[in-house]
Amino acid sequence: MKIMAGNSNLPLARDIAAYLEMPLTDAAVRRFADEEIFVEIHENVRGEDVFVIQSTSGPANDNLMELLICMDALKRASAKRITAVVPYFGYARQDRKPGPRTPISAKLVANLITTAGADRVLSVDLHAGQIQGFFDIPTDNLYAAPVMAADIQARFPLENLMVVSPDVGGVVRARALSKRLNNVPLAIVDKRRERAGESEVMNIIGDVAGHFCVLHDDIVDSAGTLCNAAAALMQAGATGVVAYVSHGVLSGGAVARVEGSALTELVVTDSIIAPEAAKGAKKLRFLTIAPLLGEAIRRIADESSVSSLFD
């Protein structure tokens, strides 16, 4: 097999290649003067099982086009099988029609990836499980929960620990983490916005008083929901709050918002390369998912079980 990387997250791609003890494929992924993307593969890939590592994080459109063009180049170079390894799947939050005359962009992106030549897709913590059904090719959705659970167990005593979902939609995800932490108690933050432009009203479902709370979510973008939830939990009597999130989009003033919040720490994976604002941030920490992705890639190449990674 061969490992090829786009430019969206080269450090993660290098770490995955190091885990697999193999070099990245020699390729040039660059821009013309007018910002058009050009890909040139400098080694033979005919008949190879190729894994293209590319998160479609911001700038989402550029990184998505890089992924599509890389796969087209591989397809035209007669690669036997192409797997799109997309640690962070952009446009995932547009997975349904929230109102009339709106797109389902996640389905459109799935169609583009398939048409570009992908035979398989590998991602981490898709925003919604039904996105797997948007693809007509095999799709593996990995979970960062085992990596997070191991880190939580190494750093915090489980006696007074409580896992908290920052909204009702994330309950299944939070319950899965709770199960990995010896079934610690679970609470839910019920987030309601009374009217547009007004701050959210936070109601806590569950007794968090005297507990150290672990907020768990899949994406942190502006960090507003996490910071508001942390404040509500502290007000309800929690002894402390940390947040574990799979994908650190961290747009705009998110890092500054976290630094000034009630959160003790925000822990995110390296599925998205750290923004410039994250350098020097005291409350931000990164966990690597390179071994998780590397092992999944090895198992796909060997035609062995991927789901047994999470048993």
Side-chain angles (χ1 to χ4, degrees):
M1 66 173 174
K2 287 187 181 291
I3 306 292
M4 183 175 171
N7 291 319
S8 73
N9 197 340
L10 280 171
L12 176 61
R14 292 188 185 111
D15 288 346
I16 292 170
Y19 178 87
L20 293 167
E21 297 179 337
M22 59 187 302
L24 289 173
T25 298
D26 185 12
V29 183
R30 55 187 174 85
R31 301 284 194 278
F32 287 120
D34 63 354
E35 294 301 311
E36 284 186 3
I37 296 162
F38 176 70
V39 174
E40 186 175 15
I41 302 163
H42 297 144
E43 57 184 85
N44 182 28
V45 295
R46 185 179 296 273
E48 294 280 2
D49 192 1
V50 187
F51 295 81
V52 185
I53 301 167
Q54 177 81 338
S55 280
T56 51
S57 49
N61 300 329
D62 287 357
N63 288 330
L64 176 60
M65 280 304 298
E66 270 192 20
L67 173 63
L68 301 177
I69 293 170
C70 284
M71 291 191 297
D72 185 72
L74 289 166
K75 183 171 69 171
R76 295 175 189 279
S78 300
K80 180 180 71 176
R81 182 173 68 172
I82 302 167
T83 301
V85 181
V86 190
Y88 172 70
F89 185 84
Y91 287 101
R93 285 172 284 182
Q94 298 181 44
D95 61 333
R96 65 195 184 284
K97 288 186 68 172
R101 295 170 295 281
T102 56
I104 303 179
S105 304
K107 170 61 176 167
L108 173 61
V109 171
N111 290 344
L112 289 169
I113 289 172
T114 305
T115 302
D119 298 296
R120 190 179 198 98
V121 173
L122 177 62
S123 193
V124 178
D125 280 327
L126 287 169
H127 182 62
Q130 69 261 24
I131 292 173
Q132 293 174 82
F134 292 174
F135 289 93
D136 294 323
I137 54 177
T139 306
D140 292 303
N141 182 30
L142 305 181
Y143 303 102
V147 178
M148 294 177 177
D151 187 76
I152 292 167
Q153 286 177 315
R155 297 174 71 86
F156 307 109
L158 299 183
E159 289 77 27
N160 293 315
L161 201 71
M162 178 177 274
V163 174
V164 182
S165 173
D167 53 43
V168 175
V171 173
V172 173
R173 191 179 301 110
R175 188 180 291 123
L177 181 63
S178 166
K179 189 177 178 182
R180 289 187 176 276
L181 296 170
N182 299 328
N183 290 307
V184 299
L186 181 68
I188 305 163
V189 177
D190 181 24
K191 177 180 66 178
R192 301 180 187 181
R193 191 185 295 274
E194 293 299 317
R195 55 182 63 86
E198 287 196 5
S199 62
E200 293 153 349
V201 177
M202 297 282 186
N203 299 305
I204 311 297
I205 303 171
D207 183 12
V208 301
H211 286 89
F212 186 83
C213 294
V214 177
L215 278 164
H216 180 46
D217 209 352
D218 65 323
I219 299 172
V220 53
D221 189 350
S222 66
T225 297
L226 277 184
C227 294
N228 289 342
L233 289 167
M234 292 300 290
Q235 202 169 13
T239 59
V241 185
V242 296
Y244 279 75
V245 183
S246 302
H247 308 295
V249 176
L250 299 171
S251 60
V255 175
R257 198 169 288 117
V258 169
E259 290 291 295
S261 73
L263 284 168
T264 305
E265 189 178 42
L266 169 61
V267 183
V268 296
T269 75
D270 55 355
S271 64
I272 299 174
I273 199 163
E276 195 66 29
K279 292 179 180 175
K282 294 177 182 177
K283 291 188 177 182
L284 192 60
R285 185 163 60 87
F286 288 85
L287 288 178
T288 185
I289 51 170
L292 175 68
L293 282 164
E295 187 57 34
I297 287 169
R298 175 179 283 145
R299 292 183 182 207
I300 291 170
D302 293 344
E303 304 292 350
S304 56
S305 172
V306 172
S307 60
S308 61
L309 267 173
F310 306 102
D311 290 343

